[in-house]
Amino acid sequence: MIMTSVIDALARHIDRARVVADGPELDAAAAVWNGAVSHRPALVVRCETTAEVRHAIRVARESGLPLSVRSGGHDWAGRAIRAGGLVIDLTRMRHVTVSGNVATVAGGATSADVAEAADRQGLAVATGTVGTVGMLGLSLGGGYGPYNGCFGLAADNLLAAEVVLADGRVVQADTELLWALRGGGGNFGVVTSADVALHPLAEVLAGSFIYPWEQAEQVLRGYGELLEGAPDALTSTIAVVAGPEGPTVVVSPTWSGPPPTEPLSSTGSPRSAHL
Ligand SMILES: Cc1cc2nc3c(=O)[nH]c(=O)nc-3n(C[C@H](O)[C@H](O)[C@H](O)COP(=O)(O)OP(=O)(O)OC[C@H]3O[C@@H](n4cnc5c(N)ncnc54)[C@H](O)[C@@H]3O)c2cc1C
């Protein structure tokens, strides 16, 4: 009964067909990247505009429903879905426009949406490594990726944000709120749109080197020495990965810009090397 009145209240400003409250459609709307997340919300509201986000927040507050925000749905713990709550689903808000070296990104745009829009202008953006991750979900939490060395974290590239606050006000983030958004996660309001810095980048060299476990100490030491003096153009990750023949060490470097003419470092003998 309560839910009927909540749906009626939402439907005053949001198409009722975009309010999902039961059945298999709710299961589908609540599904996130981590299939082990099993908690279910009371309803999912597929918002298309800032005004609709604002209305959904107001209805949740007035009806006492807990609230969560869903963008790319890649949070491992499924925090985009609030058990028994109202989910503001931003996945229909994926618009990206580019003007000069700035992309204006709607709240539900994926990293790939932004990277592709930037690429069409010959520009690059600091994202993570997976295109389906939400651009703002990534940026609000920090956002490490292959361009960190030269462009910083995704959060460092967040220039401005339109935010709907818990009291329903729509604000352009001031200096203090923007500081909090850059790494503070989705705790300060719903970011419906943000400006993200783009960068010219003509060349990228990337790859991976897989070393057998017997060389782990040598490779880890060599990697540490390399990174101590590494130029900003080099961003690299290192991981110990389980394989059929036991653990391996995988080094994945990205070089942004014209490749170096001299070798930077040499260590071990990789089992496989791809550039
Ligand atoms: C396969 C995979 C690969 C990944 N790779 C990387 C990587 O390379 N680098 C990296 O740094 N991280 C990576 N991550 C982690 C990922 O960046 C975070 O989990 C991120 O928060 C996911 O954002 P999302 O929008 O996709 O997820 P969601 O689950 O939709 O959102 C994550 C959190 O952010 C909040 N949120 C999202 N959008 C908004 C918004 N517009 N306004 C307010 N709050 C919002 C949500 O409420 C939720 O609490 C990866 C995760 C996965 C599953």
Side-chain angles (χ1 to χ4, degrees), residues 224-244:
E225 284 161 18
L226 167 66
L227 286 195
E228 267 177 27
D232 289 348
L234 179 67
T235 303
S236 182
T237 60
I238 191 164
V240 174
V241 177

Side-chain angles (χ1 to χ4, degrees), residues 33 69-76 79-80 90 107 128-130 132-134 136-138 140 143-144 186 189-191:
W33 179 84
V69 185
R70 185 226 158 90
S71 177
H74 279 63
D75 179 72
W76 285 287
R79 281 173 288 196
L90 300 177
T129 49
V130 173
T132 46
V133 169
L136 295 183
L138 173 95
L140 297 176
Y144 58 88
V190 184
V191 181

Side-chain angles (χ1 to χ4, degrees), residues 133-160:
V133 169
M135 184 66 198
L136 295 183
L138 173 95
S139 305
L140 297 176
Y144 58 88
Y147 299 145
N148 286 165
C150 49
F151 304 148
L153 294 170
D156 296 322
N157 289 274
L158 201 61
L159 304 175

Side-chain angles (χ1 to χ4, degrees), residues 134-181:
M135 184 66 198
L136 295 183
L138 173 95
S139 305
L140 297 176
Y144 58 88
Y147 299 145
N148 286 165
C150 49
F151 304 148
L153 294 170
D156 296 322
N157 289 274
L158 201 61
L159 304 175
E162 177 190 81
V163 187
V164 188
L165 302 176
D167 62 8
R169 278 181 299 144
V170 180
V171 299
Q172 295 299 322
D174 60 13
T175 311
E176 197 176 6
L177 179 55
L178 194 61
W179 176 86
L181 293 173

